[in-house]
Amino acid sequence: MKILKIKDIIIKTHPQVYIPSEDSELLMENLVDVKNKLVLDVGTGTGIQAINAAKKGAKKVIGVDINPHAIQIAKENALLNNLELNKKIFFFESDLFENVEGKFDVILFNAPYLPTSEEEKVEGWLNYAFDGGKTGREVLDKFIEEVGDYLKENGIIQILQSSLTGEEKTIKMLNKHGFKAKKTAYKRFPFEELQVITAWRE
């Protein structure tokens, strides 16, 4: 377990929870305006996106994750960053939207986007942070199919994914479900490009 400082946020890590990396920072740096808005952070991990949204003036932030270790460490990290739990920021277990109620102004998702074969799976809860199934799209596609039910009419979705997952596929699928979408930020690496896809209703 380590303590990291990312931007102005203090993060305690956990061996079974994804450690914030370049993808997390790219999403943080390109967060849409959340001032006085209701924000949902799906796959919250250490809670870094939820904490960032709360610090940027969101009215209420909910972070959900399938991983119970993530929920515990996210709560600890909120307290480390002087945020009062269950007042402005909330964390609870949920497989995508399974335990989520209500509609949100902004929904964030740093998707598990790596194409993963059976041999490439990681032991334990950490696997959920990486494993996007054989195509890298299994969890992301399910998210896109369901997200519209939880987004307010003028709401915005921000997805962090990799070029390995297919930028055009994500945009086409969002279009099919009634959203306009475009790549609003990216960071290039030798073998992939990390991408922020931002979507809103047409």
Side-chain angles (χ1 to χ4, degrees):
M1 207 173 276
K2 297 183 205 160
I3 301 279
L4 306 175
K5 191 163 186 194
I6 298 170
K7 309 296 178 193
D8 61 340
I9 296 174
I10 301 160
I11 290 294
K12 188 194 284 186
T13 65
H14 185 286
Q16 285 293 321
V17 180
Y18 180 71
I19 295 172
S21 192
E22 287 99 339
D23 53 353
S24 314
E25 290 192 40
L26 185 64
L27 187 53
M28 288 168 74
E29 286 162 2
N30 293 281
L31 179 68
V32 291
D33 180 21
V34 293
K35 207 164 171 78
N36 297 319
K37 292 183 177 173
L38 297 178
V39 178
L40 176 66
D41 178 28
V42 178
T44 197
T46 59
I48 194 163
Q49 304 299 338
I51 292 163
N52 186 45
K55 282 179 163 276
K56 294 260 174 83
K59 183 179 177 182
K60 178 180 169 184
V61 186
I62 291 175
V64 297
D65 204 296
I66 194 171
N67 179 350
H69 301 291
I71 296 307
Q72 185 53 44
I73 208 76
K75 287 178 178 178
E76 290 178 30
N77 283 330
L79 294 172
L80 269 178
N81 288 276
N82 302 314
L83 294 168
E84 198 176 331
L85 285 172
N86 305 325
K87 191 167 182 186
K88 184 174 182 174
I89 194 163
F90 302 76
F91 295 102
F92 56 85
E93 282 177 55
S94 183
D95 182 357
L96 293 180
F97 300 101
E98 191 175 53
N99 298 324
V100 174
E101 293 177 0
K103 298 200 176 204
F104 298 82
D105 299 296
V106 178
I107 299 179
L108 307 172
F109 189 35
N110 186 346
Y113 50 70
L114 292 180
T116 308
S117 67
E118 284 302 314
E119 301 76 52
E120 291 169 318
K121 287 181 187 287
V122 180
E123 282 286 311
W125 287 100
L126 193 58
N127 189 66
Y128 285 104
F130 300 98
D131 188 349
K134 285 184 183 170
T135 63
R137 298 199 57 88
E138 268 178 33
V139 183
L140 180 54
D141 286 352
K142 192 176 176 208
F143 169 88
I144 293 171
E145 281 165 12
E146 297 174 1
V147 67
D149 294 337
Y150 299 89
L151 192 71
K152 290 187 182 179
E153 206 48 50
N154 298 316
I156 292 176
I157 303 160
Q158 286 196 295
I159 295 165
L160 189 292
Q161 69 162 50
S162 162
S163 55
L164 300 173
T165 315
E167 174 188 338
E168 289 307 316
K169 283 183 184 170
T170 297
I171 288 172
K172 270 188 187 166
M173 192 163 182
L174 283 160
N175 293 161
K176 185 181 138 193
H177 284 83
F179 296 101
K180 278 194 171 176
K182 64 180 181 179
K183 180 169 73 176
T184 51
Y186 62 89
K187 188 168 186 179
R188 289 208 174 110
F189 295 90
F191 302 106
E192 70 172 335
E193 180 182 88
L194 293 175
Q195 305 167 331
V196 177
I197 308 288
T198 301
W200 59 97
R201 291 190 206 278
E202 295 201 63

